[in-house]
Amino acid sequence: MTRQVHAPGSDAAADRRALSRLRLWALVAGAGGCLGVLFLVFFSALGPPMSESGSEWSWLAPANDVTGVVFAPAHALAATSLVAVLPRSRSLRAMTVVFIVAVAVIALATVLLLAGAVGFDVQLALSLPAVAVIYAWLAMASTVGLQTGALPPAVAKWGRIMGIALVAAVVIALAGAALPEASVAQVASYSLAGAIGVPCWLLYPVWWIVIGCRVARLRVA
């Protein structure tokens, strides 16, 4: 990893533009993520079907899916904008490419689900590894930001903890899938994965909003 050093005042306009882009896309991605979370939370509370025909709130589940697809480009742009203001790191930039592919895979799997081309089980099988990639990127970017002082320590530590925890949750869930169906061990593994992963999933878009709101405190490397 190398760090760029600018002469005093040099590239100040470019730095402001980079931070402005980060503010925009971090806030858009975070707002979109929070909207999707709200749709799903309300669906869980109001929408579970009482009969085969569903309920009047059943639309909230596909609304969450559509929101994820619509805001996928903003998610990718937020990540690239954050990497642009962090110290140069070949591994992080390579991981960001994989991150963008993962976002695209989730969006494509969701579109196929909405179109009825695949079932939820296929969509989940495609999305879980991609989710692990996204949170692995979060852990890596947060670690770079923490080690170099480019991100506020509290925000960087928060991102790193969420990233590591969600990856662990995905690994536990995938391991559980290999266990006997409906066995005590499988139920326990899924429960543990949910207990770890759900809070991280809920807080992930909030992390982006915090990044967007604290751009003025970030240092362009």
Side-chain angles (χ1 to χ4, degrees), residues 4-137:
Q4 283 185 309
V5 179
H6 301 310
S10 70
D11 291 336
D15 289 351
R16 286 195 297 271
R17 287 195 297 271
L19 291 174
S20 179
R21 285 193 296 271
L22 175 57
R23 179 186 296 109
L24 170 64
W25 294 118
L27 291 175
V28 171
C34 287
L35 180 61
V37 166
L38 286 175
F39 280 139
L40 204 55
V41 168
F42 282 122
F43 172 75
S44 299
L46 305 172
M50 303 301 293
S51 65
E52 291 185 2
S53 60
S55 76
E56 61 180 313
W57 301 107
S58 296
W59 62 271
L60 289 167
N64 165 71
D65 294 330
V66 171
T67 301
V69 173
V70 170
F71 284 91
H75 194 186
L77 287 166
T80 55
S81 298
L82 178 58
V83 172
V85 305
L86 292 176
R88 290 185 178 274
S89 165
R90 289 183 179 180
S91 58
L92 179 57
R93 287 173 183 257
M95 189 62 179
T96 303
V97 174
V98 182
F99 172 100
I100 293 171
V101 172
V103 170
V105 166
I106 294 174
L108 176 60
T110 303
V111 169
L112 293 174
L113 176 68
L114 290 170
V118 300
F120 178 72
D121 55 339
V122 175
Q123 190 252 5
L124 187 63
L126 291 172
S127 297
L128 268 182
V131 168
V133 167
I134 288 172
Y135 280 82
W137 173 89

Side-chain angles (χ1 to χ4, degrees), residues 178-202:
L179 295 172
E181 189 70 24
S183 65
V184 173
Q186 185 180 67
V187 172
S189 65
Y190 286 165
S191 298
L192 179 58
I196 297 172
V198 170
C200 297
W201 174 74
L202 292 173

